[in-house]
């Protein structure tokens, strides 16, 4: 299959490809972990914002409508 794609198998360095693959896998795992942590933080902050708005007696739609009005002016 590789030969059909025009890749010369004799010049292919398997060890180099394996090390690159492992490095990319490590980076992927690290980035996935970072993404999940950020996603969790956003959920927590959104929940806190909802609680704060509820405590202050605000409605999310009212807050967004006032922001839109201010931008229009």
């Amino acid at each position: 299959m590789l030969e059909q794609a025009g890749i010369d198998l004799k010049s292919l360095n398997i060890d180099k490809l394996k090390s690159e693959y492992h490095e990319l896998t490590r980076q992927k795992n690290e980035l996935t972990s970072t993404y999940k942590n950020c996603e969790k933080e956003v959920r927590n902050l959104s929940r806190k914002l909802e609680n704060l708005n509820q405590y202050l007696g605000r409605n999310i739609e009212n807050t967004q409508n006032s922001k839109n009005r201010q931008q229009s002016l």
Side-chain angles (χ1 to χ4, degrees):
M1 186 180 223
L2 293 174
E3 289 174 346
Q4 291 175 353
I7 298 174
D8 184 21
L9 297 178
K10 293 179 183 178
S11 64
L12 202 58
N13 186 347
I14 300 298
D15 293 330
K16 183 178 176 181
L17 287 174
K18 283 182 182 180
S19 68
E20 185 177 346
Y21 175 79
H22 289 296
E23 175 64 21
L24 291 173
T25 303
R26 185 194 63 75
Q27 287 178 0
K28 177 190 165 238
N29 291 337
E30 183 179 318
L31 290 172
T32 301
S33 174
T34 302
Y35 176 79
K36 287 181 180 182
N37 288 337
C38 290
E39 201 172 43
K40 185 178 178 181
E41 185 177 348
V42 167
R43 277 194 310 267
N44 288 337
L45 290 172
S46 293
R47 189 184 74 236
K48 288 178 183 180
L49 178 62
E50 288 174 11
N51 290 341
L52 182 61
N53 283 333
Q54 185 179 13
Y55 176 75
L56 295 173
R58 294 183 188 166
N59 193 341
I60 292 176
E61 293 95 24
N62 292 341
T63 307
Q64 289 176 346
N65 288 338
S66 14
K67 286 181 183 177
N68 290 339
R69 286 186 207 140
Q70 289 175 353
Q71 289 176 352
S72 299
L73 299 174

